[in-house]
């Protein structure tokens, strides 16, 4: 059985350290106990260390929203995977569509960053997903397959059990738009992703890899999405910025975990 994994991507929020600490503390206090659902938050780089401290003593893990392919050197503004790991983080989101759109990330840079994250012992959350134009052109499967094959190239030595890596399917047209993919639309792509992962790795590893859905996930649509066979979690943007709405999603995930 795959665990359910709910992660909050805070993006460029909240505006101050005090608010970031408060959100982390509220989450720690309100986290439903004994769920078995894995929970992580991915704050902005500047808030990683204080958020790690704020959630310590709870089961909440912390991840970065990006990380460098380089270990050290003259790379102004970068954050290495060893730095992220040394702060006490467990995850690094890699290749989010906003990084691809606004920061020129490619499947090749995603690959280099994923290799670096794995080498540092971070679990990369590798994001894939088609734009609205690509969906309308019926190239969703081709786009996602290329993102996976190029982004995960040469990883067979580092991915041995399936626990080392997480995939997030985030259709770009569903991010921040309120237009959530229907459970059937999401499941169709998730099943396809698992099939590609089986061909990249093998079917035993593909069966164990967690594939999150992301794009307008809220407390009231989470249960139906997470009940789909190949949807193993959620990568949540807007609804992770308030403890009660994020906890609502975790509670929905708990209900799915219990009934599974
Ligand atoms: P929203 O939940 O705000 O649509 O964002 C999804 C996302 O991009 C998570 O990485």
């Amino acid at each position: 059985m795959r665990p359910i994994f709910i992660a909050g991507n805070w993006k460029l929020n909240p505006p101050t350290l005090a608010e970031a600490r408060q959100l982390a503390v509220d989450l720690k206090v309100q986290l439903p106990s004994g769920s078995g659902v894995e929970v992580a938050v991915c704050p902005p780089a500047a808030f990683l260390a204080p958020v790690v401290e704020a959630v310590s003593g709870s089961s909440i893990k912390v991840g970065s929203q990006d990380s460098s392919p380089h270990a050290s050197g003259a790379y102004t503004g970068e954050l290495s995977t060893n730095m992220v790991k040394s702060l006490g983080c467990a995850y690094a989101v890699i290749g989010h569509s906003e990084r691809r759109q606004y920061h020129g990330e490619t499947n090749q840079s995603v690959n280099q960053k994923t290799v670096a994250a794995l080498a540092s012992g971070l679990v990369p959350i590798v994001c894939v997903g088609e734009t609205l134009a690509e969906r309308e052109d019926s190239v969703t499967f081709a786009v996602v397959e290329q993102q996976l094959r190029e982004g995960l190239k040469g990883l067979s030595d580092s991915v041995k059990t399936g626990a080392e890596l997480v995939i997030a399917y985030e259709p770009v047209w569903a991010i921040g738009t309120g237009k959530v993919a229907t459970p059937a639309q999401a499941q169709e792509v998730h099943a396809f992703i698992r099939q590609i992962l089986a061909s990249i790795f093998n079917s035993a590893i593909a069966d164990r890899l967690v594939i999150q859905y992301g794009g307008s996930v809220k407390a009231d649509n989470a249960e139906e999405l997470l009940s789909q066979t190949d949807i193993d979690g959620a990568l949540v943007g807007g609804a992770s910025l308030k403890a009660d709405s994020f906890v609502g999603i975790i509670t929905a995930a708990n209900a799915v975990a219990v009934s599974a």
Side-chain angles (χ1 to χ4, degrees):
M1 267 308 293
R2 294 181 292 271
I4 298 185
F5 176 36
I6 308 295
N9 174 8
W10 293 2
K11 307 190 180 182
L12 192 58
N13 302 290
T16 65
L17 173 59
E19 290 160 285
R21 271 209 183 100
Q22 191 61 53
L23 176 55
V25 168
D26 288 349
L27 201 56
K28 178 174 163 175
V29 170
Q30 293 177 37
L31 190 73
S33 59
S35 67
V37 170
E38 289 175 20
V39 176
V41 292
C42 302
F47 301 155
L48 285 171
V51 167
V52 167
E53 198 188 313
V55 299
S56 73
S58 77
S59 58
I60 302 167
K61 303 261 176 49
V62 181
S64 62
Q65 297 174 13
D66 180 36
S67 58
S68 177
H70 307 292
S72 64
Y75 301 102
T76 303
E78 292 282 83
L79 183 67
S80 80
T81 52
N82 281 338
M83 291 172 186
V84 175
K85 178 76 179 168
S86 74
L87 293 174
C89 293
Y91 296 97
V93 176
I94 310 269
H96 190 279
S97 63
E98 287 148 17
R99 303 277 330 160
R100 294 177 190 257
Q101 187 179 352
Y102 306 126
H103 300 275
E105 297 226 2
T106 61
N107 294 338
Q108 286 65 38
S109 64
V110 168
N111 183 244
Q112 291 165 355
K113 290 177 177 201
T114 305
V115 168
L118 284 164
S120 297
L122 289 172
V123 174
I125 302 174
V126 176
C127 302
V128 297
E130 80 287 4
T131 62
L132 181 60
E134 289 163 344
R135 177 157 282 261
E136 286 174 350
D137 283 352
S138 305
V139 292
T140 296
F141 292 129
V143 167
V144 169
E145 177 167 359
Q146 192 173 8
Q147 288 171 333
L148 290 168
R149 289 200 185 278
E150 294 182 1
L152 304 179
K153 203 168 170 189
L155 298 190
S156 23
D157 281 348
S158 356
V159 178
K160 295 278 189 212
T161 70
E164 304 90 341
L165 174 71
V166 171
I167 305 297
Y169 169 59
E170 300 205 302
V172 179
W173 48 272
I175 296 177
T177 58
K179 274 192 215 155
V180 63
T182 64
Q185 274 176 324
Q187 165 58 27
E188 185 186 29
V189 182
H190 279 237
F192 174 76
I193 289 173
R194 203 173 302 285
Q195 193 187 310
I196 300 300
L197 292 172
S199 113
I200 294 175
F201 302 110
N202 61 52
S203 57
I205 290 177
D207 277 346
R208 280 188 242 117
L209 280 166
V210 166
I211 309 175
Q212 296 178 312
Y213 167 81
S216 300
V217 176
K218 306 271 181 294
D220 61 7
N221 60 25
E223 188 166 345
E224 210 188 342
L225 284 161
L226 293 169
S227 301
Q228 304 298 308
T229 318
D230 290 290
I231 303 184
D232 313 314
L235 186 54
V236 184
S240 71
L241 296 177
K242 293 244 167 5
D244 56 352
S245 53
F246 194 52
V247 165
I249 293 170
I250 297 163
T251 304
N254 276 340
V256 175
V258 166
S259 68

